[in-house]
Amino acid sequence: QVQLVESGGGLVQAGGSLRLSCVASGSIFRNNAMGWYRQAPGKQRELVASITLYGSTNYADSVKGRFTISKDNAKNTVYLQMNSLQPEDTAVYYCNADLTITNLGRNDYWGQGTQVTVSS
């Protein structure tokens, strides 16, 4: 059974920083890519940042220069360092992983979400 467990969300003032972590566990044969999405109230879920097996990254325009995604392949862990946070960054942040699982093949997995609230 595959699990994604997120941590690091919370309440922060505008201009502050938070670091999110997501650990994937299970019979992972290959970690193809991991990323972070977010969903604010009344809005659709959107991609924040992603990182591939080989380290290629992709960021939403709204977070470029403020957020940094990184990973530890050996630990199947992805991080999201969020700096200069603004109230519009308030959302539930979800970890996503594109994993190849032993005897199950390749599939997409989601974490349970962690709340990030930025006060003005």
Side-chain angles (χ1 to χ4, degrees):
Q1 186 176 358
V2 176
Q3 274 193 318
L4 300 184
V5 179
E6 300 130 330
S7 61
L11 173 65
V12 65
Q13 288 189 331
S17 299
L18 284 174
R19 188 189 193 214
L20 305 183
S21 300
C22 173
V23 181
S25 62
S27 300
I28 300 170
F29 175 75
R30 185 171 56 243
N31 185 334
N32 303 299
M34 296 186 79
W36 292 94
Y37 288 71
R38 66 186 181 187
Q39 187 166 19
K43 294 188 176 182
Q44 288 190 333
R45 190 174 296 189
E46 62 175 0
L47 174 68
V48 176
S50 63
I51 186 166
T52 69
L53 174 65
Y54 302 106
S56 296
T57 58
N58 182 42
Y59 293 94
D61 287 343
S62 59
V63 307
K64 283 180 182 177
R66 301 188 297 124
F67 291 10
T68 302
I69 191 169
S70 61
K71 64 186 177 73
D72 185 331
N73 285 333
K75 296 181 179 179
N76 284 313
T77 300
V78 65
Y79 307 96
L80 186 68
Q81 178 66 44
M82 304 185 294
N83 298 329
S84 302
L85 283 160
Q86 300 301 317
E88 51 266 35
D89 295 315
T90 295
V92 177
Y93 283 69
Y94 295 92
C95 177
N96 172 266
D98 173 357
L99 303 174
T100 300
I101 305 301
T102 303
N103 296 326
L104 286 181
R106 186 170 179 172
N107 216 330
D108 227 26
Y109 297 89
W110 292 90
Q112 79 285 356
T114 185
Q115 178 70 45
V116 171
T117 303
V118 184
S119 63
S120 57

